[in-house]
Amino acid sequence: DELVKIAGVMAGELEYDIAPEAYTVFQHYIEKRMELPYFSNARTVRNAMDRARMNSAIRTFEKYAIQGENGGVCTVQDLKAITPADFQVLVDDIDNADVDKRIFS
């Protein structure tokens, strides 16, 4: 719960808005990530937030620049939004990881 709050603070400091429903997905990611080696609390949260921001940028670019939604014009809020899908990518990476190729045990 504290790590989820840290994510919210980090997002705010970076001027991003985490959708309320995205916190549940983030919590699920943290629970799964805690089961893996090298979990490091705030550092893991920071890394997850960096990845979520990148996923958000990719999602926004694809939606507006590639697919041309809204004539290719997005709002500031679109650029600042972190959605459940942006965190779900992290959960999916853990779920779909090839355990035989992990560099840690």
Side-chain angles (χ1 to χ4, degrees):
D1 196 39
E2 184 176 328
L3 297 177
V4 174
K5 289 178 185 175
I6 290 171
V9 169
M10 285 181 179
E13 289 175 354
L14 295 167
E15 297 187 32
Y16 279 82
D17 298 321
I18 300 176
E21 60 275 13
Y23 283 103
T24 303
V25 180
F26 182 75
Q27 178 67 44
H28 185 60
Y29 166 74
I30 290 297
E31 290 167 359
K32 285 182 163 288
R33 183 61 185 84
M34 288 175 85
E35 296 173 2
L36 299 174
Y38 309 113
F39 181 80
S40 59
N41 293 327
R43 180 180 301 272
T44 298
V45 171
R46 185 187 70 202
N47 292 343
M49 287 303 301
D50 287 346
R51 290 184 61 201
R53 288 173 38 228
M54 179 61 71
N55 294 337
S56 172
I58 291 167
R59 176 182 46 75
T60 303
F61 181 79
E62 184 174 315
K63 183 176 181 178
Y64 294 99
I66 303 297
Q67 296 175 3
E69 188 171 310
N70 197 34
V73 178
C74 63
T75 66
V76 171
Q77 195 56 39
D78 293 324
L79 295 171
K80 293 171 57 171
I82 295 177
T83 68
D86 300 324
F87 288 125
Q88 187 61 48
V89 173
L90 282 65
V91 174
D92 293 346
D93 284 350
I94 292 174
D95 288 343
N96 298 320
D98 185 344
V99 293
D100 295 330
K101 294 183 180 179
R102 287 187 178 160
I103 59 173
F104 47 81
S105 56

